[in-house]
Amino acid sequence: MKTKTYKPSVAFLRQATIKNPEAEYKKAAKDYLKYWESAAKELEWGKPWKKVLDDSKPPFYKWFVGAKGNIVQNAIDRHLANGNKNKVALLWESDSGQHKKFTYAELDQAVCRLANGLKSLGIKKGDRVAIYLQNIPEAAIAMLACAKIGAIHGIVYAGFAAHSLREWIELTEPKLLITQDAGIRRGKRYSMKPTADEAVKGLKCVKNMLVVHHSKIDVPMVKGRDISYHDLVDKMSPKCETEMLDSEDPLFILYNSGTASKPKGMVHVHGGYQVQIHRTFNWVFDVKPNDVFWSTADPGWITGHSYTIYAPLMAGVTTLLFEGVPNYPKPDRIWEIIDKYKVNILYTAPTLLRMLMGEGDQWVKKHSLKSLRILGSVGEPINPAAWKWYYTVVGKKRCPIIDTWWQTETGAHMIVPLPTLPLKPGSATKPFPGIFAEVVDHDGKKVKDGERGLLVITKPWPAMARTFYKAEKYFKETYFKRFPGKYLTLDVAMRDKDGYFWALGRADDVLKIAGHRIGTAEIEAAIAHHPAVMEVAVIGKPHKIKGESAKAFVVLKKGFVGSDEISDGIKKKIRSEMGPVAVTDEIEYINKLPKNRNGKVMRRVLKAKELGQKLEDVVVFD
Ligand code: WT7
């Protein structure tokens, strides 16, 4: 494949920390356990490890075995002693343009108060706490407070509807749900507390609901169960000891869309996770001590966990949280914020870039953007046109584009450039030092360079998810059964002659709509709840801005005829059960779904027909 490569500018190279990436790949490959051990030594621990990796029970790997510590020790505590105390840790810009700041010392106090509050509610190590909050400082504070005392946080994206939140609560059985009265977006309020009330109705596990009165609207509070956030924390002490945990103790469980109709919870732990997010963050974004870092990802997603909250705080830089949307009130809101806070590193998603690109270059050109040094992309393949626009119009050819391939499962960056590597638009370049990937065929044999196949990771890595909560067997079967000893990413990829990887999309029945990973099975389950529906199959179609959009093929029960009314009803069902991102753009009524001999619906047949492809042209991996 002939693609232009983009070399780093002389000015960028001069200031870069890692000037010779190839040397780092080699060094890490020589002894990868030693490499990860040296990364771990950059952090503070309560007690050192006895062994770097325990691989005696694959695929349940353990890292930094025997070590004690806590991610909060590195994200906050050490900054109180190392001169970062008065540096801004968290910057928050509201939808309407107000801002709030927390220095590391202030963040520590807020986290300690809430941690003490959690303890006063009986939350202990190992207890789950569900968090249903928008992108507000309390979301970060809640995560850190849970981590500090060894409670396990489980965040549900604020855009999800009551049904999804309820499924999550049924799965993780939290004692406490932290939510807010209402969220604000595009100047409009949308209530969240009533959604939370509906989600917990009749469930016994949730003993308390902590409510952040963020929008200051009246919401019904259930006596004996609901507590105002400030009523609780204001009377608590701003000092709280950070619990020393085992490095394999869970830090969070995160909602994960897959091929099952019910979502699963990915379990991530304190030790290995913090090592890999720290190392990747520092190297990939070439972080400098006074950087202002802005990841537009909501804390409800893995990017929000790893790179909006934890990694920037561990690095002791300033992280920016933004409540609103990048094109409100005007299409240049995102560029305005970059100039306002002098953002150095921007980390965002291709779907957003395509949308902003569509607004026209004039909106970008109104702003200087000269503080920017590095531009990151995450969530789906970045098409070369968007890459070049990002590079030229936003970055003025000064800033490397860092295309980061990874997953909720991987916890941290996996295939990603070191910023002084020559870049190719559309490729996430090479596996990070200490990470090993291959492209294989159906039998697990490596394919030739230039050929497509399945992307696998061939060695364990520190930040890998340890399991699915309460579903170990399903975890093993999904990712490790097909090629024992190797992790199946479920992505189709190609490796070129230079050893660069090109992630080409999902091989399973999972869509990527506007960067959100949504299982076709989850949408189908919601549609099937409509009383007129007998059977349904959902497929993804390429979409100019969203990357993919969902189309549903519906077979109706006897006596029903497809109509706009039924379609509206179906869309309403999806919206109320899953939230707006999952709503199908198109619904087509058909008499019968194509099925194989085992009765499995062949979505790829529907897809090939829809896209006018011959079935032979469709990559089939099942
Ligand atoms: C899936 C994982 C990574 C955190 C946010 C999404 C796709 C992600 C890229 C990229 C091509 C990408 C893959 C992957 N994906 N980043 N840079 N290039 N594809 O996490 O929701 O768990 O989704 O997103 O298909 O498997 P996620």
Side-chain angles (χ1 to χ4, degrees), residues 18-65:
I18 293 175
K19 296 193 167 48
N20 182 359
E22 296 301 336
E24 299 301 336
Y25 295 122
K26 272 205 196 115
K27 212 162 86 190
K30 229 170 129 195
D31 187 344
Y32 95 113
L33 294 182
K34 205 165 134 196
Y35 169 83
W36 285 118
E37 181 163 42
S38 74
K41 283 183 180 159
E42 285 175 10
L43 302 177
E44 283 187 8
W45 299 81
K47 198 177 123 202
W49 49 91
K50 292 199 183 82
K51 204 171 170 194
V52 177
L53 171 68
D54 174 357
D55 55 1
S56 60
K57 287 194 194 75
F60 303 104
Y61 300 98
K62 291 179 179 166
W63 284 83
F64 308 106
V65 187

Short mmCIF file of all heavy atoms in Angstrom, two decimals, residues 18-65:
data_model
loop_
_atom_site.label_atom_id
_atom_site.label_comp_id
_atom_site.label_asym_id
_atom_site.label_seq_id
_atom_site.Cartn_x
_atom_site.Cartn_y
_atom_site.Cartn_z
N ILE A 18 11.21 10.96 23.96
CA ILE A 18 11.75 9.77 23.29
C ILE A 18 12.07 10.13 21.85
O ILE A 18 11.18 10.40 21.05
CB ILE A 18 10.74 8.61 23.35
CG1 ILE A 18 10.59 8.18 24.81
CG2 ILE A 18 11.20 7.44 22.49
CD1 ILE A 18 9.56 7.14 25.04
N LYS A 19 13.35 10.15 21.54
CA LYS A 19 13.75 10.59 20.19
C LYS A 19 13.97 9.41 19.26
O LYS A 19 13.94 9.55 18.05
CB LYS A 19 15.02 11.44 20.29
CG LYS A 19 14.78 12.73 21.07
CD LYS A 19 15.94 13.68 20.89
CE LYS A 19 15.64 15.09 21.38
NZ LYS A 19 15.03 15.21 22.71
N ASN A 20 14.22 8.24 19.85
CA ASN A 20 14.49 7.08 19.01
C ASN A 20 13.54 5.93 19.38
O ASN A 20 13.88 5.04 20.16
CB ASN A 20 15.95 6.67 19.21
CG ASN A 20 16.33 5.49 18.34
OD1 ASN A 20 15.50 4.96 17.59
ND2 ASN A 20 17.58 5.08 18.44
N PRO A 21 12.33 5.94 18.81
CA PRO A 21 11.34 4.94 19.18
C PRO A 21 11.81 3.51 18.93
O PRO A 21 11.56 2.62 19.75
CB PRO A 21 10.13 5.26 18.32
CG PRO A 21 10.43 6.50 17.58
CD PRO A 21 11.83 6.91 17.82
N GLU A 22 12.50 3.30 17.82
CA GLU A 22 12.90 1.93 17.48
C GLU A 22 13.74 1.30 18.60
O GLU A 22 13.62 0.12 18.89
CB GLU A 22 13.68 1.89 16.15
CG GLU A 22 12.85 2.32 14.94
CD GLU A 22 11.60 1.46 14.69
OE1 GLU A 22 11.57 0.30 15.14
OE2 GLU A 22 10.64 2.00 14.09
N ALA A 23 14.57 2.11 19.23
CA ALA A 23 15.40 1.59 20.31
C ALA A 23 14.53 1.12 21.48
O ALA A 23 14.83 0.10 22.12
CB ALA A 23 16.36 2.67 20.78
N GLU A 24 13.44 1.82 21.72
CA GLU A 24 12.54 1.43 22.83
C GLU A 24 11.82 0.12 22.53
O GLU A 24 11.63 -0.71 23.41
CB GLU A 24 11.51 2.53 23.11
CG GLU A 24 12.10 3.86 23.53
CD GLU A 24 12.95 3.78 24.81
OE1 GLU A 24 12.74 2.85 25.63
OE2 GLU A 24 13.81 4.66 24.96
N TYR A 25 11.38 -0.04 21.28
CA TYR A 25 10.71 -1.31 20.91
C TYR A 25 11.65 -2.48 21.15
O TYR A 25 11.28 -3.51 21.69
CB TYR A 25 10.27 -1.30 19.44
CG TYR A 25 9.22 -0.27 19.12
CD1 TYR A 25 9.44 0.71 18.16
CD2 TYR A 25 7.99 -0.28 19.77
CE1 TYR A 25 8.47 1.66 17.86
CE2 TYR A 25 7.02 0.66 19.49
CZ TYR A 25 7.27 1.63 18.52
OH TYR A 25 6.31 2.57 18.25
N LYS A 26 12.88 -2.28 20.71
CA LYS A 26 13.88 -3.36 20.83
C LYS A 26 14.15 -3.70 22.28
O LYS A 26 14.16 -4.85 22.69
CB LYS A 26 15.19 -2.91 20.17
CG LYS A 26 15.21 -3.23 18.71
CD LYS A 26 16.66 -3.36 18.22
CE LYS A 26 16.68 -3.29 16.72
NZ LYS A 26 17.38 -2.12 16.20
N LYS A 27 14.37 -2.64 23.06
CA LYS A 27 14.70 -2.84 24.47
C LYS A 27 13.58 -3.60 25.19
O LYS A 27 13.84 -4.55 25.93
CB LYS A 27 14.89 -1.46 25.12
CG LYS A 27 15.92 -1.48 26.23
CD LYS A 27 16.42 -0.10 26.57
CE LYS A 27 15.54 0.60 27.56
NZ LYS A 27 15.85 2.02 27.73
N ALA A 28 12.34 -3.20 24.92
CA ALA A 28 11.21 -3.84 25.60
C ALA A 28 11.06 -5.29 25.15
O ALA A 28 10.71 -6.16 25.95
CB ALA A 28 9.93 -3.06 25.34
N ALA A 29 11.31 -5.55 23.86
CA ALA A 29 11.11 -6.91 23.34
C ALA A 29 12.15 -7.88 23.91
O ALA A 29 11.90 -9.07 24.04
CB ALA A 29 11.18 -6.89 21.82
N LYS A 30 13.29 -7.35 24.24
CA LYS A 30 14.37 -8.18 24.75
C LYS A 30 13.98 -8.85 26.07
O LYS A 30 14.23 -10.02 26.30
CB LYS A 30 15.60 -7.31 24.98
CG LYS A 30 16.85 -7.92 24.38
CD LYS A 30 17.99 -6.96 24.40
CE LYS A 30 19.20 -7.60 25.02
NZ LYS A 30 20.20 -6.60 25.37
N ASP A 31 13.36 -8.08 26.94
CA ASP A 31 12.91 -8.64 28.21
C ASP A 31 11.68 -7.85 28.65
O ASP A 31 11.79 -6.83 29.33
CB ASP A 31 14.03 -8.54 29.25
CG ASP A 31 13.66 -9.28 30.54
OD1 ASP A 31 12.46 -9.58 30.72
OD2 ASP A 31 14.55 -9.55 31.34
N TYR A 32 10.52 -8.34 28.21
CA TYR A 32 9.35 -7.48 28.39
C TYR A 32 8.88 -7.40 29.83
O TYR A 32 8.28 -6.42 30.24
CB TYR A 32 8.24 -7.88 27.41
CG TYR A 32 7.18 -8.82 27.89
CD1 TYR A 32 5.87 -8.39 28.04
CD2 TYR A 32 7.47 -10.15 28.15
CE1 TYR A 32 4.88 -9.25 28.45
CE2 TYR A 32 6.49 -11.02 28.57
CZ TYR A 32 5.19 -10.57 28.72
OH TYR A 32 4.20 -11.42 29.13
N LEU A 33 9.19 -8.42 30.63
CA LEU A 33 8.81 -8.34 32.04
C LEU A 33 9.67 -7.30 32.76
O LEU A 33 9.18 -6.55 33.61
CB LEU A 33 8.92 -9.71 32.71
CG LEU A 33 7.93 -10.75 32.18
CD1 LEU A 33 8.09 -12.07 32.93
CD2 LEU A 33 6.48 -10.25 32.27
N LYS A 34 10.91 -7.26 32.36
CA LYS A 34 11.81 -6.27 32.97
C LYS A 34 11.36 -4.85 32.57
O LYS A 34 11.40 -3.91 33.36
CB LYS A 34 13.23 -6.52 32.46
CG LYS A 34 14.29 -6.01 33.39
CD LYS A 34 15.63 -6.61 33.04
CE LYS A 34 16.67 -5.52 33.03
NZ LYS A 34 17.89 -5.94 32.34
N TYR A 35 10.92 -4.75 31.31
CA TYR A 35 10.43 -3.46 30.83
C TYR A 35 9.24 -2.98 31.67
O TYR A 35 9.21 -1.84 32.15
CB TYR A 35 10.02 -3.59 29.35
CG TYR A 35 9.26 -2.39 28.85
CD1 TYR A 35 9.93 -1.26 28.42
CD2 TYR A 35 7.86 -2.38 28.84
CE1 TYR A 35 9.22 -0.14 27.98
CE2 TYR A 35 7.15 -1.28 28.42
CZ TYR A 35 7.83 -0.16 27.98
OH TYR A 35 7.14 0.94 27.57
N TRP A 36 8.25 -3.87 31.88
CA TRP A 36 7.08 -3.45 32.67
C TRP A 36 7.46 -3.23 34.13
O TRP A 36 6.87 -2.40 34.82
CB TRP A 36 5.94 -4.46 32.53
CG TRP A 36 5.26 -4.34 31.19
CD1 TRP A 36 5.19 -5.29 30.22
CD2 TRP A 36 4.57 -3.18 30.66
NE1 TRP A 36 4.50 -4.81 29.13
CE2 TRP A 36 4.11 -3.52 29.37
CE3 TRP A 36 4.31 -1.90 31.15
CZ2 TRP A 36 3.40 -2.63 28.56
CZ3 TRP A 36 3.60 -1.00 30.36
CH2 TRP A 36 3.15 -1.37 29.08
N GLU A 37 8.44 -3.97 34.59
CA GLU A 37 8.88 -3.78 35.97
C GLU A 37 9.50 -2.39 36.13
O GLU A 37 9.24 -1.69 37.12
CB GLU A 37 9.88 -4.86 36.36
CG GLU A 37 10.34 -4.72 37.80
CD GLU A 37 11.01 -5.98 38.32
OE1 GLU A 37 11.80 -6.59 37.57
OE2 GLU A 37 10.74 -6.34 39.48
N SER A 38 10.26 -1.97 35.13
CA SER A 38 10.86 -0.64 35.25
C SER A 38 9.77 0.44 35.20
O SER A 38 9.88 1.48 35.85
CB SER A 38 11.93 -0.41 34.17
OG SER A 38 11.30 -0.22 32.93
N ALA A 39 8.68 0.17 34.46
CA ALA A 39 7.56 1.13 34.45
C ALA A 39 6.91 1.19 35.82
O ALA A 39 6.53 2.26 36.31
CB ALA A 39 6.55 0.72 33.38
N ALA A 40 6.78 0.04 36.47
CA ALA A 40 6.15 -0.02 37.79
C ALA A 40 6.98 0.72 38.83
O ALA A 40 6.45 1.29 39.79
CB ALA A 40 5.95 -1.47 38.21
N LYS A 41 8.29 0.72 38.62
CA LYS A 41 9.18 1.37 39.59
C LYS A 41 9.06 2.89 39.57
O LYS A 41 9.56 3.56 40.46
CB LYS A 41 10.63 0.94 39.33
CG LYS A 41 10.90 -0.46 39.84
CD LYS A 41 12.36 -0.86 39.66
CE LYS A 41 12.58 -2.26 40.19
NZ LYS A 41 13.78 -2.87 39.61
N GLU A 42 8.40 3.43 38.54
CA GLU A 42 8.18 4.88 38.52
C GLU A 42 7.05 5.29 39.47
O GLU A 42 6.80 6.47 39.66
CB GLU A 42 7.83 5.34 37.10
CG GLU A 42 9.03 5.36 36.19
CD GLU A 42 8.67 5.68 34.76
OE1 GLU A 42 7.52 6.08 34.49
OE2 GLU A 42 9.56 5.52 33.90
N LEU A 43 6.36 4.30 40.00
CA LEU A 43 5.21 4.61 40.86
C LEU A 43 5.53 4.33 42.32
O LEU A 43 6.50 3.66 42.64
CB LEU A 43 4.01 3.75 40.44
CG LEU A 43 3.56 3.92 39.00
CD1 LEU A 43 2.42 2.97 38.70
CD2 LEU A 43 3.13 5.36 38.73
N GLU A 44 4.65 4.85 43.17
CA GLU A 44 4.79 4.54 44.60
C GLU A 44 3.91 3.35 44.95
O GLU A 44 2.80 3.21 44.45
CB GLU A 44 4.40 5.76 45.42
CG GLU A 44 5.52 6.78 45.39
CD GLU A 44 5.28 7.94 46.33
OE1 GLU A 44 4.32 7.90 47.14
OE2 GLU A 44 6.06 8.90 46.24
N TRP A 45 4.42 2.53 45.82
CA TRP A 45 3.71 1.32 46.26
C TRP A 45 3.80 1.24 47.78
O TRP A 45 4.76 1.74 48.37
CB TRP A 45 4.34 0.07 45.66
CG TRP A 45 4.33 0.03 44.16
CD1 TRP A 45 5.20 0.65 43.31
CD2 TRP A 45 3.39 -0.66 43.31
NE1 TRP A 45 4.86 0.39 41.99
CE2 TRP A 45 3.76 -0.42 41.98
CE3 TRP A 45 2.27 -1.47 43.57
CZ2 TRP A 45 3.05 -0.95 40.90
CZ3 TRP A 45 1.57 -2.00 42.49
CH2 TRP A 45 1.95 -1.73 41.16
N GLY A 46 2.85 0.55 48.40
CA GLY A 46 2.92 0.33 49.84
C GLY A 46 3.93 -0.75 50.17
O GLY A 46 4.62 -0.69 51.19
N LYS A 47 4.01 -1.72 49.27
CA LYS A 47 4.91 -2.85 49.46
C LYS A 47 5.26 -3.37 48.06
O LYS A 47 4.37 -3.48 47.21
CB LYS A 47 4.15 -3.94 50.24
CG LYS A 47 5.02 -4.97 50.89
CD LYS A 47 4.16 -5.95 51.69
CE LYS A 47 4.42 -7.36 51.21
NZ LYS A 47 3.34 -8.28 51.50
N PRO A 48 6.53 -3.68 47.80
CA PRO A 48 6.88 -4.11 46.44
C PRO A 48 6.38 -5.52 46.11
O PRO A 48 6.00 -6.27 47.00
CB PRO A 48 8.41 -4.07 46.45
CG PRO A 48 8.81 -4.15 47.87
CD PRO A 48 7.69 -3.60 48.70
N TRP A 49 6.41 -5.87 44.83
CA TRP A 49 5.94 -7.18 44.36
C TRP A 49 7.01 -8.23 44.55
O TRP A 49 8.20 -7.93 44.61
CB TRP A 49 5.54 -7.07 42.88
CG TRP A 49 6.61 -6.41 42.05
CD1 TRP A 49 7.63 -7.01 41.39
CD2 TRP A 49 6.77 -5.00 41.85
NE1 TRP A 49 8.42 -6.07 40.78
CE2 TRP A 49 7.92 -4.83 41.05
CE3 TRP A 49 6.05 -3.86 42.27
CZ2 TRP A 49 8.38 -3.56 40.66
CZ3 TRP A 49 6.51 -2.61 41.88
CH2 TRP A 49 7.66 -2.48 41.08
N LYS A 50 6.52 -9.48 44.56
CA LYS A 50 7.45 -10.61 44.64
C LYS A 50 7.74 -11.14 43.25
O LYS A 50 8.78 -11.71 42.99
CB LYS A 50 6.82 -11.73 45.48
CG LYS A 50 6.67 -11.37 46.95
CD LYS A 50 6.48 -12.65 47.77
CE LYS A 50 6.26 -12.33 49.23
NZ LYS A 50 4.83 -11.97 49.49
N LYS A 51 6.77 -10.97 42.37
CA LYS A 51 6.89 -11.50 41.02
C LYS A 51 6.18 -10.53 40.07
O LYS A 51 5.12 -10.00 40.42
CB LYS A 51 6.16 -12.85 41.00
CG LYS A 51 6.63 -13.77 39.95
CD LYS A 51 6.02 -15.15 40.13
CE LYS A 51 6.35 -15.93 38.88
NZ LYS A 51 5.58 -17.12 38.74
N VAL A 52 6.75 -10.32 38.88
CA VAL A 52 6.11 -9.37 37.94
C VAL A 52 4.84 -9.99 37.36
O VAL A 52 3.79 -9.35 37.34
CB VAL A 52 7.09 -8.97 36.82
CG1 VAL A 52 6.40 -8.04 35.82
CG2 VAL A 52 8.31 -8.28 37.40
N LEU A 53 4.92 -11.21 36.86
CA LEU A 53 3.76 -11.84 36.21
C LEU A 53 3.56 -13.26 36.73
O LEU A 53 4.51 -14.03 36.78
CB LEU A 53 3.97 -11.87 34.69
CG LEU A 53 2.97 -12.68 33.86
CD1 LEU A 53 1.58 -12.04 33.88
CD2 LEU A 53 3.43 -12.82 32.41
N ASP A 54 2.33 -13.57 37.08
CA ASP A 54 1.98 -14.96 37.38
C ASP A 54 1.10 -15.45 36.23
O ASP A 54 -0.04 -15.01 36.08
CB ASP A 54 1.21 -15.00 38.72
CG ASP A 54 0.69 -16.41 39.02
OD1 ASP A 54 0.87 -17.31 38.18
OD2 ASP A 54 0.09 -16.59 40.09
N ASP A 55 1.67 -16.34 35.40
CA ASP A 55 0.90 -16.83 34.25
C ASP A 55 0.58 -18.31 34.41
O ASP A 55 0.44 -19.04 33.44
CB ASP A 55 1.64 -16.56 32.94
CG ASP A 55 3.04 -17.12 32.94
OD1 ASP A 55 3.44 -17.74 33.94
OD2 ASP A 55 3.75 -16.93 31.92
N SER A 56 0.45 -18.74 35.67
CA SER A 56 0.25 -20.17 35.91
C SER A 56 -1.19 -20.61 35.63
O SER A 56 -1.44 -21.80 35.46
CB SER A 56 0.63 -20.51 37.36
OG SER A 56 -0.17 -19.76 38.25
N LYS A 57 -2.15 -19.66 35.59
CA LYS A 57 -3.54 -20.07 35.31
C LYS A 57 -4.15 -19.25 34.19
O LYS A 57 -5.09 -18.49 34.39
CB LYS A 57 -4.38 -19.87 36.59
CG LYS A 57 -4.09 -20.89 37.66
CD LYS A 57 -5.18 -20.85 38.73
CE LYS A 57 -4.76 -21.59 39.97
NZ LYS A 57 -3.77 -20.85 40.78
N PRO A 58 -3.60 -19.39 32.97
CA PRO A 58 -4.14 -18.60 31.88
C PRO A 58 -5.61 -18.91 31.64
O PRO A 58 -6.00 -20.08 31.84
CB PRO A 58 -3.29 -19.04 30.67
CG PRO A 58 -2.66 -20.34 31.05
CD PRO A 58 -2.55 -20.34 32.54
N PRO A 59 -6.47 -17.99 31.21
CA PRO A 59 -6.11 -16.60 30.90
C PRO A 59 -6.26 -15.65 32.08
O PRO A 59 -6.44 -14.45 31.89
CB PRO A 59 -7.14 -16.26 29.82
CG PRO A 59 -8.37 -16.99 30.25
CD PRO A 59 -7.90 -18.24 30.94
N PHE A 60 -6.21 -16.22 33.29
CA PHE A 60 -6.37 -15.32 34.45
C PHE A 60 -5.00 -14.95 34.98
O PHE A 60 -4.46 -15.59 35.88
CB PHE A 60 -7.28 -15.99 35.49
CG PHE A 60 -8.62 -16.35 34.92
CD1 PHE A 60 -8.94 -17.66 34.60
CD2 PHE A 60 -9.54 -15.35 34.64
CE1 PHE A 60 -10.16 -17.98 34.02
CE2 PHE A 60 -10.77 -15.65 34.06
CZ PHE A 60 -11.08 -16.97 33.75
N TYR A 61 -4.44 -13.93 34.36
CA TYR A 61 -3.08 -13.51 34.68
C TYR A 61 -3.07 -12.54 35.85
O TYR A 61 -4.02 -11.78 36.04
CB TYR A 61 -2.44 -12.83 33.45
CG TYR A 61 -2.37 -13.74 32.26
CD1 TYR A 61 -3.34 -13.67 31.25
CD2 TYR A 61 -1.37 -14.70 32.14
CE1 TYR A 61 -3.30 -14.52 30.15
CE2 TYR A 61 -1.32 -15.56 31.04
CZ TYR A 61 -2.29 -15.46 30.05
OH TYR A 61 -2.24 -16.31 28.97
N LYS A 62 -1.95 -12.57 36.60
CA LYS A 62 -1.80 -11.61 37.70
C LYS A 62 -0.49 -10.86 37.50
O LYS A 62 0.51 -11.46 37.11
CB LYS A 62 -1.74 -12.34 39.04
CG LYS A 62 -3.05 -12.97 39.41
CD LYS A 62 -2.91 -13.69 40.74
CE LYS A 62 -4.26 -14.30 41.11
NZ LYS A 62 -4.13 -15.26 42.19
N TRP A 63 -0.53 -9.56 37.78
CA TRP A 63 0.67 -8.74 37.61
C TRP A 63 1.08 -8.11 38.93
O TRP A 63 0.25 -7.74 39.74
CB TRP A 63 0.40 -7.63 36.59
CG TRP A 63 0.40 -8.13 35.17
CD1 TRP A 63 -0.65 -8.72 34.52
CD2 TRP A 63 1.49 -8.09 34.25
NE1 TRP A 63 -0.27 -9.05 33.24
CE2 TRP A 63 1.03 -8.68 33.04
CE3 TRP A 63 2.80 -7.62 34.31
CZ2 TRP A 63 1.85 -8.79 31.92
CZ3 TRP A 63 3.61 -7.73 33.18
CH2 TRP A 63 3.13 -8.32 32.01
N PHE A 64 2.38 -8.00 39.11
CA PHE A 64 2.95 -7.37 40.31
C PHE A 64 2.42 -8.09 41.56
O PHE A 64 1.84 -7.50 42.47
CB PHE A 64 2.70 -5.86 40.31
CG PHE A 64 3.17 -5.25 39.02
CD1 PHE A 64 2.27 -4.84 38.04
CD2 PHE A 64 4.53 -5.18 38.74
CE1 PHE A 64 2.71 -4.36 36.82
CE2 PHE A 64 4.97 -4.70 37.52
CZ PHE A 64 4.07 -4.29 36.56
N VAL A 65 2.65 -9.38 41.51
CA VAL A 65 2.07 -10.29 42.51
C VAL A 65 2.67 -10.00 43.90
O VAL A 65 3.88 -9.91 44.06
CB VAL A 65 2.37 -11.75 42.12
CG1 VAL A 65 1.62 -12.71 43.05
CG2 VAL A 65 1.98 -11.99 40.67
#
